[in-house]
Amino acid sequence: MDEEHLHDDLQVFKDRNFFRLKLKSFVTIYLLLALSFLLTFTLFAVSLSRVSAINSKLQEVPPGQSHNVSSRDFLLFPCGPGSREWEYFGGKCYYFSLTRTSWHKAKARCEEMHSQLAVIDSYAKQSFVMFRTRNERFWIGLTDENSEGEWEWVDGTDYKTTFTFWKEGEPNNSGNNEDCAHLWVSGEWNDVYCTYECYYICEKLVPK
């Protein structure tokens, strides 16, 4: 009998130790969960505080400043959201017509759009229009109507000291009536009579 009681006592002691260990494990787990919850709550409170501070700063922006064109809008529509048919290059905007007309009508149409026939005064700009026109004929803002052989740009740019890109043998004033310039084969310039009908390129500054 004594051995049986001793065995039972040992079993009870083991069971108590087991429950104590289990209880300690549960307490540790609950403490860790409580700490995790406290840390999460603290981080959430800090984030919320920062968001509120940023929102307050944004509301302090002067009214006039919020109406300025955003950098995103400029990247999407550098020539203005209402001028999507215009193409941006080198600080200016260019319009490549889809219809043909005479030089003088082309000049007038550009002016109606608050622009001018393109003035090509650099190789960079020449490369741009040459790639864009792809061997089609496009009027540019160059003429010698006022005095034969005295070529002038429509905006007054000095023709004699700036870039030129005439086709070999041009300008030749064939028929004694070729007074307007257009882009021709490979984007080279050619003089032709001003009533000839071809496409045209308008140019204007980027809107402020």
Side-chain angles (χ1 to χ4, degrees):
M1 288 293 292
D2 290 338
E3 288 185 2
E4 286 183 11
H5 284 298
L6 182 62
H7 181 268
D8 290 340
D9 290 341
L10 286 172
Q11 187 63 41
V12 169
F13 179 74
K14 286 180 179 179
D15 289 342
R16 284 178 181 172
N17 280 341
F18 175 77
F19 284 120
R20 281 176 187 167
L21 289 172
K22 280 286 185 184
L23 185 61
K24 284 182 180 179
S25 298
F26 283 128
V27 169
T28 303
I29 290 169
Y30 285 132
L31 281 173
L32 288 173
L33 285 172
L35 285 172
S36 298
F37 175 78
L38 184 61
L39 182 61
T40 302
F41 180 78
T42 303
L43 288 172
F44 175 76
V46 170
S47 299
L48 189 63
S49 175
R50 287 182 177 176
V51 169
S52 298
I54 291 170
N55 190 44
S56 298
K57 292 265 187 186
L58 288 174
Q59 290 182 357
E60 291 173 6
V61 175
Q65 193 170 337
S66 63
H67 287 80
N68 290 338
V69 178
S70 70
S71 57
R72 184 193 66 179
D73 288 341
F74 177 78
L75 290 172
L76 290 173
F77 311 112
C79 298
S83 302
R84 300 184 185 188
E85 69 274 19
W86 292 75
E87 298 182 29
Y88 175 82
F89 177 78
K92 292 186 178 180
C93 297
Y94 296 87
Y95 173 78
F96 296 85
S97 77
L98 300 176
T99 57
R100 298 182 178 91
T101 190
S102 67
W103 189 88
H104 287 286
K105 286 183 179 178
K107 181 174 179 291
R109 287 181 185 176
C110 289
E111 290 169 354
E112 287 169 5
M113 294 188 286
H114 308 290
S115 62
Q116 64 182 22
L117 281 172
V119 173
I120 305 175
D121 54 5
S122 70
Y123 185 74
K125 191 183 291 188
Q126 172 65 33
S127 297
F128 167 68
V129 297
M130 189 163 53
F131 171 78
R132 184 62 181 73
T133 54
R134 300 181 183 277
N135 289 330
E136 284 289 353
R137 303 185 185 199
F138 279 79
W139 289 123
I140 57 177
L142 186 60
T143 180
D144 71 343
E145 271 192 320
N146 291 331
S147 178
E148 179 56 40
E150 297 294 323
W151 289 92
E152 299 173 333
W153 289 107
V154 291
D155 69 344
T157 295
D158 187 2
Y159 169 81
K160 294 180 180 178
T161 60
T162 52
F163 172 86
T164 60
F165 202 72
W166 292 105
K167 186 177 184 298
E168 187 177 353
E170 302 295 342
N172 62 2
N173 194 32
S174 178
N176 294 319
N177 69 341
E178 293 189 332
D179 297 324
C180 293
H182 64 175
L183 303 183
W184 196 16
V185 180
S186 301
E188 294 176 309
W189 305 355
N190 173 60
D191 62 337
V192 70
Y193 52 95
C194 299
T195 53
Y196 178 80
E197 293 193 348
C198 65
Y199 300 108
Y200 55 93
I201 309 169
C202 299
E203 170 187 77
K204 67 179 179 180
L205 293 173
V206 173
K208 294 181 181 179

